[in-house]
Structure formats: structure tokens, C-alpha cells
Amino acid sequence: MKVSMLVSTCDIKDCPTIYATDRDTLLVQGEVPTDHGLELPANEGIVEIPMQLLFDLIRKALRGKLV
């Protein structure tokens, strides 16, 4: 799988980040919440990311500067 960073909250690699893959999918890096109360299938997980990260992704997409 080829992965390209789209947007991040910082320049180091331990911050919430959204990546694009060569499979036309997105990967999301963020904190793993423990207090969500959701029942998830064993093969799924969730991460928490700041809303600002999504806003930055949308802004970047509107400017045509995603990949």
C-alpha cells in the first residue's frame, strides 16, 4: 500500500494526521479514545481527531493542493 500524507496538525509524526492511499481510501491517525461506550466489531477501531484537521483537509482540497 502506498500512503501519502494529506494534512496533519504538526510536522512531526506523532500528531493527528489524514493520509491517502493508492487504494482510493483514507487512513486516519489520532488518539484512541477509551470512554466512547460504543460496541465495535473485533476488526474495527476508532480514533479521535480534532475538527480543525478536517477543516484544514477541506480547505486544502478546495485549493486543489491535496496530492
Side-chain angles (χ1 to χ4, degrees), residues 13-43:
K13 297 183 181 198
D14 64 350
C15 300
T17 305
I18 298 176
Y19 302 91
T21 74
D22 60 352
R23 301 177 184 179
D24 290 327
T25 61
L26 297 174
L27 300 177
V28 178
Q29 176 181 341
E31 295 288 326
V32 178
T34 57
D35 58 351
H36 51 73
L38 301 172
E39 293 185 29
L40 301 172
N43 65 326

PDB file of all heavy atoms in Angstrom, residues 13-43:
ATOM      1  N   LYS A  13       5.799  13.204  13.418  1.00  0.00           N
ATOM      2  CA  LYS A  13       4.924  12.100  13.040  1.00  0.00           C
ATOM      3  C   LYS A  13       4.086  11.521  14.168  1.00  0.00           C
ATOM      4  O   LYS A  13       3.621  10.404  14.077  1.00  0.00           O
ATOM      5  CB  LYS A  13       5.768  11.002  12.393  1.00  0.00           C
ATOM      6  CG  LYS A  13       6.412  11.475  11.124  1.00  0.00           C
ATOM      7  CD  LYS A  13       7.176  10.392  10.439  1.00  0.00           C
ATOM      8  CE  LYS A  13       7.816  10.975   9.193  1.00  0.00           C
ATOM      9  NZ  LYS A  13       8.213   9.999   8.255  1.00  0.00           N
ATOM     10  N   ASP A  14       3.837  12.281  15.228  1.00  0.00           N
ATOM     11  CA  ASP A  14       3.020  11.738  16.315  1.00  0.00           C
ATOM     12  C   ASP A  14       1.813  12.626  16.599  1.00  0.00           C
ATOM     13  O   ASP A  14       1.413  12.801  17.734  1.00  0.00           O
ATOM     14  CB  ASP A  14       3.855  11.505  17.571  1.00  0.00           C
ATOM     15  CG  ASP A  14       4.416  12.797  18.159  1.00  0.00           C
ATOM     16  OD1 ASP A  14       4.329  13.845  17.492  1.00  0.00           O
ATOM     17  OD2 ASP A  14       4.950  12.761  19.272  1.00  0.00           O
ATOM     18  N   CYS A  15       1.230  13.189  15.538  1.00  0.00           N
ATOM     19  CA  CYS A  15       0.076  14.080  15.663  1.00  0.00           C
ATOM     20  C   CYS A  15      -1.082  13.538  14.833  1.00  0.00           C
ATOM     21  O   CYS A  15      -0.870  12.760  13.909  1.00  0.00           O
ATOM     22  CB  CYS A  15       0.436  15.464  15.145  1.00  0.00           C
ATOM     23  SG  CYS A  15       1.786  16.234  16.033  1.00  0.00           S
ATOM     24  N   PRO A  16      -2.298  13.987  15.120  1.00  0.00           N
ATOM     25  CA  PRO A  16      -3.418  13.599  14.263  1.00  0.00           C
ATOM     26  C   PRO A  16      -3.127  13.947  12.800  1.00  0.00           C
ATOM     27  O   PRO A  16      -2.685  15.057  12.495  1.00  0.00           O
ATOM     28  CB  PRO A  16      -4.580  14.418  14.816  1.00  0.00           C
ATOM     29  CG  PRO A  16      -4.249  14.588  16.261  1.00  0.00           C
ATOM     30  CD  PRO A  16      -2.762  14.783  16.264  1.00  0.00           C
ATOM     31  N   THR A  17      -3.316  12.965  11.926  1.00  0.00           N
ATOM     32  CA  THR A  17      -2.958  13.100  10.511  1.00  0.00           C
ATOM     33  C   THR A  17      -3.956  12.328   9.661  1.00  0.00           C
ATOM     34  O   THR A  17      -4.469  11.300  10.089  1.00  0.00           O
ATOM     35  CB  THR A  17      -1.537  12.542  10.263  1.00  0.00           C
ATOM     36  OG1 THR A  17      -0.620  13.202  11.148  1.00  0.00           O
ATOM     37  CG2 THR A  17      -1.075  12.738   8.837  1.00  0.00           C
ATOM     38  N   ILE A  18      -4.208  12.825   8.453  1.00  0.00           N
ATOM     39  CA  ILE A  18      -5.017  12.102   7.480  1.00  0.00           C
ATOM     40  C   ILE A  18      -4.131  11.789   6.280  1.00  0.00           C
ATOM     41  O   ILE A  18      -3.440  12.670   5.757  1.00  0.00           O
ATOM     42  CB  ILE A  18      -6.251  12.914   7.048  1.00  0.00           C
ATOM     43  CG1 ILE A  18      -7.151  13.159   8.260  1.00  0.00           C
ATOM     44  CG2 ILE A  18      -7.031  12.167   5.950  1.00  0.00           C
ATOM     45  CD1 ILE A  18      -8.350  14.041   7.979  1.00  0.00           C
ATOM     46  N   TYR A  19      -4.147  10.529   5.855  1.00  0.00           N
ATOM     47  CA  TYR A  19      -3.341  10.048   4.739  1.00  0.00           C
ATOM     48  C   TYR A  19      -4.261   9.535   3.635  1.00  0.00           C
ATOM     49  O   TYR A  19      -5.349   9.042   3.904  1.00  0.00           O
ATOM     50  CB  TYR A  19      -2.457   8.874   5.171  1.00  0.00           C
ATOM     51  CG  TYR A  19      -1.520   9.165   6.307  1.00  0.00           C
ATOM     52  CD1 TYR A  19      -1.900   8.929   7.621  1.00  0.00           C
ATOM     53  CD2 TYR A  19      -0.238   9.646   6.071  1.00  0.00           C
ATOM     54  CE1 TYR A  19      -1.034   9.180   8.682  1.00  0.00           C
ATOM     55  CE2 TYR A  19       0.638   9.892   7.127  1.00  0.00           C
ATOM     56  CZ  TYR A  19       0.229   9.655   8.425  1.00  0.00           C
ATOM     57  OH  TYR A  19       1.085   9.894   9.461  1.00  0.00           O
ATOM     58  N   ALA A  20      -3.792   9.619   2.386  1.00  0.00           N
ATOM     59  CA  ALA A  20      -4.463   8.987   1.253  1.00  0.00           C
ATOM     60  C   ALA A  20      -3.666   7.740   0.881  1.00  0.00           C
ATOM     61  O   ALA A  20      -2.444   7.699   1.063  1.00  0.00           O
ATOM     62  CB  ALA A  20      -4.510   9.932   0.059  1.00  0.00           C
ATOM     63  N   THR A  21      -4.357   6.725   0.373  1.00  0.00           N
ATOM     64  CA  THR A  21      -3.675   5.517  -0.082  1.00  0.00           C
ATOM     65  C   THR A  21      -3.877   5.343  -1.584  1.00  0.00           C
ATOM     66  O   THR A  21      -4.745   5.983  -2.182  1.00  0.00           O
ATOM     67  CB  THR A  21      -4.218   4.255   0.624  1.00  0.00           C
ATOM     68  OG1 THR A  21      -5.499   3.939   0.088  1.00  0.00           O
ATOM     69  CG2 THR A  21      -4.297   4.446   2.129  1.00  0.00           C
ATOM     70  N   ASP A  22      -3.094   4.460  -2.166  1.00  0.00           N
ATOM     71  CA  ASP A  22      -3.259   4.146  -3.582  1.00  0.00           C
ATOM     72  C   ASP A  22      -4.455   3.217  -3.823  1.00  0.00           C
ATOM     73  O   ASP A  22      -4.689   2.775  -4.936  1.00  0.00           O
ATOM     74  CB  ASP A  22      -1.980   3.548  -4.160  1.00  0.00           C
ATOM     75  CG  ASP A  22      -1.545   2.266  -3.475  1.00  0.00           C
ATOM     76  OD1 ASP A  22      -2.139   1.893  -2.430  1.00  0.00           O
ATOM     77  OD2 ASP A  22      -0.604   1.625  -3.977  1.00  0.00           O
ATOM     78  N   ARG A  23      -5.209   2.932  -2.792  1.00  0.00           N
ATOM     79  CA  ARG A  23      -6.430   2.122  -2.890  1.00  0.00           C
ATOM     80  C   ARG A  23      -7.681   3.011  -2.919  1.00  0.00           C
ATOM     81  O   ARG A  23      -8.787   2.536  -2.752  1.00  0.00           O
ATOM     82  CB  ARG A  23      -6.543   1.180  -1.699  1.00  0.00           C
ATOM     83  CG  ARG A  23      -5.390   0.222  -1.549  1.00  0.00           C
ATOM     84  CD  ARG A  23      -5.594  -0.603  -0.294  1.00  0.00           C
ATOM     85  NE  ARG A  23      -4.465  -1.469  -0.054  1.00  0.00           N
ATOM     86  CZ  ARG A  23      -4.367  -2.279   0.979  1.00  0.00           C
ATOM     87  NH1 ARG A  23      -5.323  -2.330   1.892  1.00  0.00           N
ATOM     88  NH2 ARG A  23      -3.309  -3.043   1.129  1.00  0.00           N
ATOM     89  N   ASP A  24      -7.489   4.335  -3.066  1.00  0.00           N
ATOM     90  CA  ASP A  24      -8.580   5.308  -3.002  1.00  0.00           C
ATOM     91  C   ASP A  24      -9.297   5.255  -1.657  1.00  0.00           C
ATOM     92  O   ASP A  24     -10.528   5.304  -1.586  1.00  0.00           O
ATOM     93  CB  ASP A  24      -9.575   5.127  -4.150  1.00  0.00           C
ATOM     94  CG  ASP A  24      -8.985   5.540  -5.483  1.00  0.00           C
ATOM     95  OD1 ASP A  24      -8.167   6.483  -5.501  1.00  0.00           O
ATOM     96  OD2 ASP A  24      -9.327   4.921  -6.500  1.00  0.00           O
ATOM     97  N   THR A  25      -8.508   5.135  -0.592  1.00  0.00           N
ATOM     98  CA  THR A  25      -9.038   5.155   0.769  1.00  0.00           C
ATOM     99  C   THR A  25      -8.243   6.162   1.595  1.00  0.00           C
ATOM    100  O   THR A  25      -7.208   6.669   1.149  1.00  0.00           O
ATOM    101  CB  THR A  25      -8.944   3.761   1.437  1.00  0.00           C
ATOM    102  OG1 THR A  25      -7.560   3.371   1.501  1.00  0.00           O
ATOM    103  CG2 THR A  25      -9.744   2.714   0.679  1.00  0.00           C
ATOM    104  N   LEU A  26      -8.742   6.446   2.788  1.00  0.00           N
ATOM    105  CA  LEU A  26      -8.052   7.330   3.721  1.00  0.00           C
ATOM    106  C   LEU A  26      -7.644   6.548   4.961  1.00  0.00           C
ATOM    107  O   LEU A  26      -8.361   5.651   5.397  1.00  0.00           O
ATOM    108  CB  LEU A  26      -8.962   8.484   4.159  1.00  0.00           C
ATOM    109  CG  LEU A  26      -9.417   9.449   3.071  1.00  0.00           C
ATOM    110  CD1 LEU A  26     -10.416  10.434   3.653  1.00  0.00           C
ATOM    111  CD2 LEU A  26      -8.243  10.182   2.455  1.00  0.00           C
ATOM    112  N   LEU A  27      -6.501   6.901   5.519  1.00  0.00           N
ATOM    113  CA  LEU A  27      -6.064   6.403   6.820  1.00  0.00           C
ATOM    114  C   LEU A  27      -6.057   7.589   7.767  1.00  0.00           C
ATOM    115  O   LEU A  27      -5.661   8.690   7.387  1.00  0.00           O
ATOM    116  CB  LEU A  27      -4.656   5.812   6.732  1.00  0.00           C
ATOM    117  CG  LEU A  27      -4.453   4.646   5.775  1.00  0.00           C
ATOM    118  CD1 LEU A  27      -2.976   4.232   5.763  1.00  0.00           C
ATOM    119  CD2 LEU A  27      -5.326   3.474   6.157  1.00  0.00           C
ATOM    120  N   VAL A  28      -6.504   7.378   8.992  1.00  0.00           N
ATOM    121  CA  VAL A  28      -6.579   8.450   9.971  1.00  0.00           C
ATOM    122  C   VAL A  28      -5.749   8.072  11.187  1.00  0.00           C
ATOM    123  O   VAL A  28      -5.907   6.990  11.752  1.00  0.00           O
ATOM    124  CB  VAL A  28      -8.041   8.719  10.398  1.00  0.00           C
ATOM    125  CG1 VAL A  28      -8.100   9.808  11.446  1.00  0.00           C
ATOM    126  CG2 VAL A  28      -8.886   9.082   9.187  1.00  0.00           C
ATOM    127  N   GLN A  29      -4.850   8.967  11.581  1.00  0.00           N
ATOM    128  CA  GLN A  29      -4.038   8.788  12.781  1.00  0.00           C
ATOM    129  C   GLN A  29      -4.574   9.725  13.844  1.00  0.00           C
ATOM    130  O   GLN A  29      -4.793  10.907  13.588  1.00  0.00           O
ATOM    131  CB  GLN A  29      -2.581   9.129  12.476  1.00  0.00           C
ATOM    132  CG  GLN A  29      -1.661   9.082  13.675  1.00  0.00           C
ATOM    133  CD  GLN A  29      -0.244   9.464  13.295  1.00  0.00           C
ATOM    134  OE1 GLN A  29       0.143   9.431  12.143  1.00  0.00           O
ATOM    135  NE2 GLN A  29       0.524   9.839  14.297  1.00  0.00           N
ATOM    136  N   GLY A  30      -4.825   9.197  15.026  1.00  0.00           N
ATOM    137  CA  GLY A  30      -5.317  10.027  16.113  1.00  0.00           C
ATOM    138  C   GLY A  30      -5.274   9.275  17.428  1.00  0.00           C
ATOM    139  O   GLY A  30      -4.788   8.147  17.498  1.00  0.00           O
ATOM    140  N   GLU A  31      -5.773   9.905  18.456  1.00  0.00           N
ATOM    141  CA  GLU A  31      -5.830   9.283  19.782  1.00  0.00           C
ATOM    142  C   GLU A  31      -6.887   8.181  19.794  1.00  0.00           C
ATOM    143  O   GLU A  31      -7.945   8.321  19.185  1.00  0.00           O
ATOM    144  CB  GLU A  31      -6.191  10.328  20.831  1.00  0.00           C
ATOM    145  CG  GLU A  31      -5.158  11.413  21.014  1.00  0.00           C
ATOM    146  CD  GLU A  31      -3.904  10.917  21.710  1.00  0.00           C
ATOM    147  OE1 GLU A  31      -4.012  10.030  22.589  1.00  0.00           O
ATOM    148  OE2 GLU A  31      -2.829  11.412  21.366  1.00  0.00           O
ATOM    149  N   VAL A  32      -6.620   7.102  20.502  1.00  0.00           N
ATOM    150  CA  VAL A  32      -7.601   6.031  20.673  1.00  0.00           C
ATOM    151  C   VAL A  32      -8.398   6.334  21.945  1.00  0.00           C
ATOM    152  O   VAL A  32      -7.861   6.246  23.043  1.00  0.00           O
ATOM    153  CB  VAL A  32      -6.914   4.651  20.779  1.00  0.00           C
ATOM    154  CG1 VAL A  32      -7.939   3.558  21.010  1.00  0.00           C
ATOM    155  CG2 VAL A  32      -6.095   4.372  19.526  1.00  0.00           C
ATOM    156  N   PRO A  33      -9.673   6.724  21.786  1.00  0.00           N
ATOM    157  CA  PRO A  33     -10.470   7.028  22.971  1.00  0.00           C
ATOM    158  C   PRO A  33     -10.900   5.757  23.693  1.00  0.00           C
ATOM    159  O   PRO A  33     -11.121   4.720  23.070  1.00  0.00           O
ATOM    160  CB  PRO A  33     -11.682   7.771  22.402  1.00  0.00           C
ATOM    161  CG  PRO A  33     -11.811   7.261  21.012  1.00  0.00           C
ATOM    162  CD  PRO A  33     -10.427   6.933  20.557  1.00  0.00           C
ATOM    163  N   THR A  34     -11.015   5.850  24.999  1.00  0.00           N
ATOM    164  CA  THR A  34     -11.430   4.681  25.781  1.00  0.00           C
ATOM    165  C   THR A  34     -12.790   4.866  26.431  1.00  0.00           C
ATOM    166  O   THR A  34     -13.353   3.914  26.953  1.00  0.00           O
ATOM    167  CB  THR A  34     -10.392   4.384  26.882  1.00  0.00           C
ATOM    168  OG1 THR A  34     -10.250   5.545  27.703  1.00  0.00           O
ATOM    169  CG2 THR A  34      -9.046   4.011  26.280  1.00  0.00           C
ATOM    170  N   ASP A  35     -13.325   6.062  26.374  1.00  0.00           N
ATOM    171  CA  ASP A  35     -14.570   6.345  27.086  1.00  0.00           C
ATOM    172  C   ASP A  35     -15.763   6.551  26.148  1.00  0.00           C
ATOM    173  O   ASP A  35     -16.705   7.242  26.484  1.00  0.00           O
ATOM    174  CB  ASP A  35     -14.397   7.577  27.972  1.00  0.00           C
ATOM    175  CG  ASP A  35     -13.985   8.821  27.188  1.00  0.00           C
ATOM    176  OD1 ASP A  35     -13.667   8.694  25.987  1.00  0.00           O
ATOM    177  OD2 ASP A  35     -13.981   9.908  27.772  1.00  0.00           O
ATOM    178  N   HIS A  36     -15.733   5.929  24.964  1.00  0.00           N
ATOM    179  CA  HIS A  36     -16.766   6.181  23.965  1.00  0.00           C
ATOM    180  C   HIS A  36     -18.045   5.376  24.180  1.00  0.00           C
ATOM    181  O   HIS A  36     -19.106   5.755  23.706  1.00  0.00           O
ATOM    182  CB  HIS A  36     -16.232   5.928  22.550  1.00  0.00           C
ATOM    183  CG  HIS A  36     -15.575   4.603  22.388  1.00  0.00           C
ATOM    184  ND1 HIS A  36     -16.273   3.422  22.340  1.00  0.00           N
ATOM    185  CD2 HIS A  36     -14.268   4.286  22.293  1.00  0.00           C
ATOM    186  CE1 HIS A  36     -15.430   2.428  22.192  1.00  0.00           C
ATOM    187  NE2 HIS A  36     -14.199   2.920  22.178  1.00  0.00           N
ATOM    188  N   GLY A  37     -17.994   4.250  24.842  1.00  0.00           N
ATOM    189  CA  GLY A  37     -19.182   3.453  25.118  1.00  0.00           C
ATOM    190  C   GLY A  37     -19.778   2.753  23.906  1.00  0.00           C
ATOM    191  O   GLY A  37     -20.902   2.250  23.960  1.00  0.00           O
ATOM    192  N   LEU A  38     -19.063   2.713  22.789  1.00  0.00           N
ATOM    193  CA  LEU A  38     -19.564   2.068  21.575  1.00  0.00           C
ATOM    194  C   LEU A  38     -19.193   0.593  21.546  1.00  0.00           C
ATOM    195  O   LEU A  38     -18.167   0.195  22.094  1.00  0.00           O
ATOM    196  CB  LEU A  38     -18.977   2.755  20.339  1.00  0.00           C
ATOM    197  CG  LEU A  38     -19.270   4.241  20.189  1.00  0.00           C
ATOM    198  CD1 LEU A  38     -18.460   4.822  19.038  1.00  0.00           C
ATOM    199  CD2 LEU A  38     -20.760   4.465  19.961  1.00  0.00           C
ATOM    200  N   GLU A  39     -20.009  -0.215  20.897  1.00  0.00           N
ATOM    201  CA  GLU A  39     -19.695  -1.619  20.671  1.00  0.00           C
ATOM    202  C   GLU A  39     -19.213  -1.755  19.238  1.00  0.00           C
ATOM    203  O   GLU A  39     -19.977  -1.559  18.296  1.00  0.00           O
ATOM    204  CB  GLU A  39     -20.927  -2.490  20.912  1.00  0.00           C
ATOM    205  CG  GLU A  39     -21.352  -2.512  22.363  1.00  0.00           C
ATOM    206  CD  GLU A  39     -22.496  -3.485  22.617  1.00  0.00           C
ATOM    207  OE1 GLU A  39     -22.614  -4.489  21.895  1.00  0.00           O
ATOM    208  OE2 GLU A  39     -23.273  -3.196  23.530  1.00  0.00           O
ATOM    209  N   LEU A  40     -17.947  -2.082  19.084  1.00  0.00           N
ATOM    210  CA  LEU A  40     -17.335  -2.178  17.756  1.00  0.00           C
ATOM    211  C   LEU A  40     -17.019  -3.624  17.420  1.00  0.00           C
ATOM    212  O   LEU A  40     -16.643  -4.405  18.304  1.00  0.00           O
ATOM    213  CB  LEU A  40     -16.046  -1.365  17.714  1.00  0.00           C
ATOM    214  CG  LEU A  40     -16.162   0.120  18.028  1.00  0.00           C
ATOM    215  CD1 LEU A  40     -14.779   0.749  18.127  1.00  0.00           C
ATOM    216  CD2 LEU A  40     -16.993   0.825  16.977  1.00  0.00           C
ATOM    217  N   PRO A  41     -17.122  -3.994  16.132  1.00  0.00           N
ATOM    218  CA  PRO A  41     -16.687  -5.322  15.730  1.00  0.00           C
ATOM    219  C   PRO A  41     -15.194  -5.498  16.027  1.00  0.00           C
ATOM    220  O   PRO A  41     -14.443  -4.516  16.061  1.00  0.00           O
ATOM    221  CB  PRO A  41     -16.945  -5.340  14.220  1.00  0.00           C
ATOM    222  CG  PRO A  41     -17.919  -4.249  13.972  1.00  0.00           C
ATOM    223  CD  PRO A  41     -17.676  -3.217  15.030  1.00  0.00           C
ATOM    224  N   ALA A  42     -14.780  -6.732  16.199  1.00  0.00           N
ATOM    225  CA  ALA A  42     -13.390  -7.017  16.562  1.00  0.00           C
ATOM    226  C   ALA A  42     -12.398  -6.509  15.518  1.00  0.00           C
ATOM    227  O   ALA A  42     -11.263  -6.186  15.855  1.00  0.00           O
ATOM    228  CB  ALA A  42     -13.208  -8.517  16.762  1.00  0.00           C
ATOM    229  N   ASN A  43     -12.810  -6.412  14.265  1.00  0.00           N
ATOM    230  CA  ASN A  43     -11.887  -5.986  13.206  1.00  0.00           C
ATOM    231  C   ASN A  43     -11.919  -4.478  12.955  1.00  0.00           C
ATOM    232  O   ASN A  43     -11.350  -4.007  11.985  1.00  0.00           O
ATOM    233  CB  ASN A  43     -12.203  -6.719  11.902  1.00  0.00           C
ATOM    234  CG  ASN A  43     -13.569  -6.352  11.357  1.00  0.00           C
ATOM    235  OD1 ASN A  43     -14.507  -6.099  12.116  1.00  0.00           O
ATOM    236  ND2 ASN A  43     -13.701  -6.327  10.052  1.00  0.00           N
TER     237      ASN A  43
END
